[in-house]
Amino acid sequence: MQLLEVFRQAFESIRASKLRSGLTLLAISVGVFAIISANTAVLVLDTYFRDTLSLMGGDVITVSKTPAINVGPTDWNAFRNRQDITIEQMERLQELLPLTAEVGPSRTFRTTRVLFEDQETEPNIGIQGVNEYFLANNAYTIAEGRNFTAEDMAYRRNVTLLGAEVAETLFPVQEALGKTVRIEGQPYTVIGVTEARGTVFGSSLDRFALLPYTITANKYGRNQNVSIQLRAGSVEELQAMIDRVTGLMRLIRQVDPASADDFEIASNQSISGALSQFTGFLYIVGFVIGGIVLLGAGIGVMNIMLVSVTERTREIGVRKAIGARRREITTQFLLESIALCQIGGMIGIIAGIALGNGAALYFGSSLVFPWGSAIGGLIGMTLIGIIFGVYPAMKAARLDPIESLRYE
């Protein structure tokens, strides 16, 4: 029996009872759609996360009071009771590590307006206290001007680096370099502007004003909690540097040898691992929801095929009378069941990929095609067609030809 003929008969069966067939196809499509759309969206997120993290480089390490990212239930009270990581501790770690580690603080102390003459920004500009290593550790580059220097830190110079979005707002038609902006009432000379980085989850990466950390420490207090960023030198040396930093931080923070670390150390690898757990959880949720829907859809397929057998009893009798064997009747109805599932499956796959890639358009990420999920969906639909179509097919094959010919 030709495959095209089987599909033609499947379409004829669908057209014969549009409502019943439409509901069955809808159930199949929704089940496949749930799985494929979830898998596509997770693949988009995974690709987006990895592309974003890769910008920072694989050897960047962050030391913080609380986890940089967390999946699952967490006792946040235990983290809040930890002592803060202070500027003094950062400077002590900087003394104990080589210059190649590029140790520096990272903290947004305020969100406020930045003003220049009659121009001003919205009150959502992050004021960060950093040193000369911040840009490299966070994959920023200078579009114009210069970076901070060690002298800017030592002499607490009133200078600032502006994010691309801030500079565009304050200086739409003139150069920003050398101009004096005001931040919380204090004047700062613009020494540089960073290149635009875009957004992450709808949040701008270019909406900030960087100040020497010695100024922010003096202004907001040296005991404010900060994160510490540093470089291992290479991906191969990452774990060795993490071990070394762990030991030094325990020494600096005077952690008892029998006690657990009272700080967190994260790298791109550890963050990727946590994100993989999160995306894995989303995969499971999608499969569970889709699986439940597909179970109901499979029952619907069995129902529609049983009705089809009943409606085509006379046709089966004629086929048997002219020499069709049981195996041929079984094959015909089984293939029709598979074809019905594949039609619904294809609709679900196309709709799922389209919706899942909506996340890529939203985040500005590259479009993805979940080949594994799409192929798995087609195979899954074949299995459902076989499992739920075998009983109607066997029932059709066992019909008595004489009684079938008499059926009205």
Side-chain angles (χ1 to χ4, degrees), residues 71-363:
V71 178
T74 302
D75 182 10
W76 288 104
N77 287 326
F79 295 130
R80 280 195 292 267
N81 292 332
R82 292 175 171 178
Q83 63 170 306
D84 290 337
I85 296 177
T86 64
I87 291 294
E88 182 180 354
Q89 292 176 11
M90 184 278 297
E91 291 175 337
R92 180 60 178 151
L93 181 64
Q94 193 174 37
E95 292 174 0
L96 297 172
L97 289 173
L99 289 176
T100 54
E102 300 185 355
V103 181
S106 176
R107 166 159 181 175
T108 299
F109 288 93
R110 291 283 189 278
T111 53
T112 186
R113 298 180 188 274
V114 179
L115 298 86
F116 172 71
E117 296 180 349
D118 59 344
Q119 300 285 340
E120 66 177 39
T121 66
E122 295 294 326
N124 57 0
I125 308 304
I127 308 303
Q128 301 186 46
V130 302
N131 65 4
E132 64 270 29
Y133 304 124
F134 176 84
L135 297 183
N137 288 342
N138 291 274
Y140 283 100
T141 54
I142 293 289
E144 53 180 310
R146 66 172 178 85
N147 191 9
F148 290 125
T149 64
E151 288 74 19
D152 293 328
M153 305 298 134
Y155 296 115
R156 299 180 184 176
R157 291 172 177 164
N158 279 25
V159 292
T160 182
L161 284 167
L162 299 181
E165 184 175 330
V166 180
E168 183 178 351
T169 300
L170 295 178
F171 307 99
V173 295
Q174 58 182 309
E175 188 177 83
L177 297 183
K179 303 299 190 301
T180 299
V181 298
R182 300 190 72 83
I183 302 173
E184 296 192 310
Q186 298 296 316
Y188 297 92
T189 301
V190 179
I191 62 171
V193 176
T194 62
E195 289 189 359
R197 286 272 302 277
T199 61
V200 173
F201 294 120
S203 298
S204 175
L205 296 174
D206 306 305
R207 194 180 298 146
F208 59 80
L210 305 180
L211 303 178
Y213 81 89
T214 48
I215 289 180
T216 56
N218 186 59
K219 184 178 181 66
Y220 302 111
R222 290 179 61 84
N223 292 325
Q224 294 278 343
N225 182 59
V226 299
S227 294
I228 302 174
Q229 293 179 314
L230 59 119
R231 285 186 174 273
S234 68
V235 176
E236 291 73 22
E237 298 174 5
L238 182 65
Q239 189 56 53
M241 179 61 80
I242 289 176
D243 294 340
R244 184 175 182 182
V245 171
T246 300
L248 290 175
M249 286 300 296
R250 289 179 64 88
L251 175 65
I252 293 169
R253 291 166 68 82
Q254 298 180 352
V255 179
D256 187 271
S259 301
D261 296 339
D262 65 346
F263 54 89
E264 303 292 326
I265 296 184
S267 65
N268 281 354
Q269 292 182 359
S270 61
I271 293 175
S272 295
L275 292 175
S276 295
Q277 293 180 21
F278 175 68
T279 53
F281 173 75
L282 294 181
Y283 275 123
I284 293 173
V285 170
F287 272 111
V288 170
I289 295 174
I292 293 172
V293 177
L294 286 177
L295 178 61
I299 296 173
V301 170
M302 179 181 290
N303 176 65
I304 197 174
M305 292 307 300
L306 287 171
V307 173
S308 180
V309 169
T310 301
E311 292 176 344
R312 296 162 62 185
T313 299
R314 189 174 182 83
E315 174 194 329
I316 295 169
V318 172
R319 288 177 59 83
K320 283 194 170 186
I322 61 177
R325 294 170 294 181
R326 280 190 174 187
R327 183 178 65 182
E328 293 169 339
I329 300 296
T330 302
T331 301
Q332 175 188 348
F333 281 88
L334 195 58
L335 289 178
E336 285 186 28
S337 173
I338 294 172
L340 184 65
C341 290
Q342 293 291 0
I343 292 169
M346 287 300 297
I347 295 172
I349 289 172
I350 293 171
I353 292 174
L355 182 66
N357 274 297
L361 296 177
Y362 177 77
F363 293 127

Side-chain angles (χ1 to χ4, degrees), residues 23-83:
L23 291 175
T24 303
L25 284 176
L26 178 62
I28 295 172
S29 300
V30 168
V32 176
F33 169 81
I35 296 174
I36 298 299
S37 61
N39 288 358
T40 304
V42 169
L43 184 58
V44 167
L45 287 175
D46 191 51
T47 301
Y48 182 68
F49 281 139
R50 296 186 188 282
D51 289 346
T52 301
L53 290 175
S54 66
L55 293 175
M56 295 177 60
D59 65 333
V60 177
I61 298 169
T62 301
V63 184
S64 57
K65 178 180 176 179
T66 58
I69 187 170
N70 187 72
V71 178
T74 302
D75 182 10
W76 288 104
N77 287 326
F79 295 130
R80 280 195 292 267
N81 292 332
R82 292 175 171 178
Q83 63 170 306

